[in-house]
Amino acid sequence: MKLVYFAWVREKAGLSTEDVTPPADVTDVAGLIDWLKGRGEGYGEAFADLDLVRVAVNQSHVDLDHALAASDEVAFFPPVTGG
Amino acid sequence: MIRVQTEDFDLGAEIARMTDGKTSIGGICSFSGLVRDIVGEAGDTGVAAMTLEHYPGMTEKALQEIEAEARDRWPLDDVLIVHRYGRLEPGDNIVLVIAASAHRDAAFDACRFLIDWLKTKAPFWKLEETTDGTNWVEAKESDDTAADRWNKD
């Protein structure tokens, strides 16, 4: 599974992209976030307030209950501020 | 058509290209977004510059989806969305949206729709440089409200 991070989520997580293999009991976005938070302080800070984090799977916006597959590209970022 | 680029754009040149050899267009509406030198609503600290980060791949996909939705909702002859990324300074262009149609209502509505949806759906983030340091611009609730009014029940 490919993870990508943007803006302050990237800064707090401490990296912009990584390949991970979560355990089998991680089946959705919320589960992935819980697992990531256990991997280090930076993740804990990035995901401290999930009201401020948006998620895209395979480059489409999704909610936290979105189911995940091993081949997915999952992106985490703050609410967008373009335009 | 959508474009994501670091280069500047020229509104007049884009409209001329859009209308060249095409006589079905009766009205064109455009919106240009520029970097301003004030912070938030209070506006007392100067913005020295702004760096736009985006999600290559998803950005193009999101903008194409927004264009397709506009074409689905209104009878449009042409649509152009140009969004810049990278470091920009006050006065620089950030974004351009153009909607062309046979009649003005479709052009006005589609233009407003395009920029409203872009602001809440396209994956761009602004990092402001001010005299106090750098900070990520926070999303505004008013932008959500503006986008939501185009939602269909």
Side-chain angles (χ1 to χ4, degrees):
Chain A
M1 191 177 291
K2 183 185 181 187
L3 307 185
V4 285
Y5 305 91
F6 292 98
W8 60 255
V9 177
R10 167 177 55 74
E11 291 178 344
K12 287 176 192 282
L15 73 182
S16 56
T17 181
E18 62 181 326
D19 287 301
V20 298
T21 308
D25 63 343
V26 170
T27 57
D28 62 10
V29 171
L32 176 63
I33 290 173
D34 280 342
W35 177 68
L36 287 169
K37 284 165 83 171
R39 295 176 76 219
E41 203 175 312
Y43 296 101
E45 287 178 24
F47 297 113
D49 184 353
L50 292 185
D51 285 343
L52 300 178
V53 178
R54 299 290 178 270
V55 186
V57 171
N58 301 327
Q59 304 187 349
S60 291
H61 295 282
V62 299
D63 292 324
L64 293 177
D65 60 357
H66 185 88
L68 293 174
S71 58
D72 283 342
E73 175 175 301
V74 185
F76 298 102
F77 45 77
V80 301
T81 55
Chain B
M1 181 193 276
I2 67 109
R3 297 206 312 263
V4 183
Q5 62 190 41
T6 54
E7 303 80 44
D8 195 13
F9 52 78
D10 183 292
L11 170 63
E14 299 296 350
I15 288 180
R17 191 164 16 234
M18 193 175 266
T19 54
D20 186 34
K22 199 166 190 177
T23 50
S24 58
I25 296 172
I28 293 175
C29 276
S30 73
F31 173 84
S32 305
L34 291 78
V35 180
R36 60 173 173 257
D37 64 0
I38 54 171
V39 174
E41 306 304 320
D44 48 5
T45 311
V47 172
M50 178 176 279
T51 300
L52 275 126
E53 179 173 333
H54 79 114
Y55 183 176
M58 180 171 172
T59 305
E60 290 80 359
K61 184 168 176 250
L63 295 180
Q64 280 159 1
E65 285 169 1
I66 294 166
E67 175 181 351
E69 183 68 26
R71 287 179 180 275
D72 199 45
R73 293 187 185 203
W74 292 280
L76 301 173
D77 281 273
D78 210 344
V79 171
L80 177 67
I81 305 173
V82 183
H83 205 302
R84 299 179 70 190
Y85 65 95
R87 190 173 185 276
L88 301 172
E89 294 180 349
D92 284 349
N93 291 313
I94 305 175
V95 63
L96 173 65
V97 167
I98 305 177
S101 181
H103 301 286
R104 71 180 182 282
D105 280 350
F108 268 116
D109 290 352
C111 184
R112 185 76 204 238
F113 165 84
L114 288 162
I115 190 64
D116 284 349
W117 268 31
L118 182 156
K119 284 188 85 81
T120 57
K121 297 180 193 298
F124 288 94
W125 302 275
K126 291 182 180 131
L127 180 68
E128 278 180 348
E129 295 171 32
T130 72
T131 46
D132 296 332
T134 62
N135 58 280
W136 291 98
V137 174
E138 285 183 32
K140 287 191 296 212
E141 203 177 317
S142 58
D143 287 337
D144 286 332
T145 308
D148 284 350
R149 66 202 175 94
W150 298 106
N151 284 347
K152 292 172 174 171
D153 294 328

